[in-house]
Amino acid sequence: MTLVRHALMALALLAAWAPAALATDEVQAIPTRRGVTQPFVLVRPPGDPVASVILFAGGDGALGLRAGAIKGLGGNFLVRNRERFARHGLLVAVPDAPSDHKNLDRFRTSADHAADIRVLIAALRALAPAPVWLVGTSMGTVSAAGVAARLRAEGGPDGIVLTSTVTRYSREHGDSVDEVRVKDIAVPTLLVHNRDDACPASRYGDALLLLPDFAKTPRHELLTFEGGDPPQSPPCEAASAHGYLGLEAKVVKAIADWIKATPRP
């Protein structure tokens, strides 16, 4: 039995689809590699999903879901806006580190990470007949780009979104998008960046230089934002321009609108 078939059988344990009021967090876990499970938070939209999104948090990627709720990275741009994405008609999954890793440091570009997310993509497709997109922010862009680059032949996403892309090596977390074969990515790709991002690992100028590397994609674009609220954290953390503080509603709407406007292959 393949990993994907095994995971799809596990989906029978999930609650049946009920497009009513916006649901609260549902903490789930599906089997992926041998002896490994992939925990994630599921947030359902109020109606039938127009697309599904897998939101990759930045930092070390550890949500701490083994305790049954989000214990870490709750302030991360994508994590704190997960219900906002759902209100735009998107079925949302926010993955934690897999059961055999305490976090995603030096794991985001690995074949095992791509294998885990391949199963999660299949699980979302089983839940809703809609495109599945990978959305990463900060260090989460390494996951989104790395998985898309590896899953080119089968089981990959329908598109990716990279926000506050980390293009320079992170000594703390050990990865950057520069270590991903982004020129191999062939699905629609949206880059989102704040011109005022002061994080040295995710410079706005680097996003401009990165955009032409997505020449194989049928559609690619850089959306630029600026302004927002005064920073309340160091420049590489989420309560700053790096995390779109004060711009959350505009940025999430722009991402959702771009996903909805992209024709499905």
Side-chain angles (χ1 to χ4, degrees):
M1 180 182 298
T2 67
L3 294 176
V4 172
R5 286 180 60 200
H6 189 34
L8 296 184
M9 289 179 64
L11 280 172
L13 301 177
L14 295 177
W17 186 261
L22 186 67
T24 56
D25 291 346
E26 301 175 31
V27 177
Q28 308 286 352
I30 52 175
T32 56
R33 294 167 283 123
R34 182 182 296 272
V36 175
T37 58
Q38 174 63 64
F40 63 99
V41 169
L42 186 72
V43 184
R44 304 175 192 253
D48 292 336
V50 296
S52 297
V53 289
I54 298 176
L55 306 181
F56 293 100
D60 68 1
L63 303 183
L65 294 181
R66 292 181 182 89
I70 294 175
K71 300 298 182 183
L73 297 174
N76 177 266
F77 165 61
L78 292 179
V79 179
R80 74 178 187 259
N81 283 289
R82 60 193 182 277
E83 290 194 359
R84 184 171 268 133
F85 278 97
R87 285 195 290 271
H88 283 283
L90 305 176
L91 177 63
V92 176
V94 190
D96 195 358
S99 61
D100 61 340
H101 283 72
K102 67 177 183 179
N103 57 47
L104 297 181
D105 285 351
R106 295 166 178 81
F107 182 70
R108 294 184 185 271
T109 58
S110 69
D112 282 348
H113 187 41
D116 293 340
I117 301 306
R118 178 175 178 263
V119 176
L120 181 55
I121 291 171
L124 293 178
R125 286 188 173 132
L127 279 176
V132 180
W133 285 62
L134 308 183
V135 184
T137 196
S138 191
M139 286 301 300
T141 60
V142 182
S143 285
V147 171
R150 284 188 176 274
L151 301 183
R152 300 187 305 275
E154 182 182 358
D158 294 285
I160 64 172
V161 181
L162 309 179
T163 79
S164 303
T165 305
V166 171
T167 53
R168 303 192 179 221
Y169 179 78
S170 167
R171 182 177 301 176
E172 180 182 4
H173 301 297
D175 286 313
S176 80
V177 168
D178 280 356
E179 298 171 48
V180 175
R181 295 178 60 90
V182 295
K183 292 182 179 180
D184 290 340
I185 294 174
V187 294
T189 299
L190 174 65
L191 273 65
V192 177
H193 221 95
N194 192 328
R195 193 188 301 273
D196 300 321
D197 190 340
C199 179
S202 59
R203 300 179 182 181
Y204 177 73
D206 288 350
L208 292 170
L209 295 174
L210 181 64
L211 190 63
D213 287 345
F214 295 97
K216 285 185 178 180
T217 68
R219 183 187 186 203
H220 58 276
E221 185 179 355
L222 170 64
L223 294 184
T224 299
F225 291 84
E226 55 188 329
D229 293 343
Q232 299 175 19
S233 73
C236 292
E237 296 184 9
S240 68
H242 185 69
Y244 307 95
L245 187 67
L247 296 171
E248 292 93 341
K250 290 182 179 179
V251 176
V252 171
K253 182 179 185 303
I255 292 171
D257 287 348
W258 206 88
I259 289 173
K260 294 174 187 178
T262 300
R264 188 172 186 178

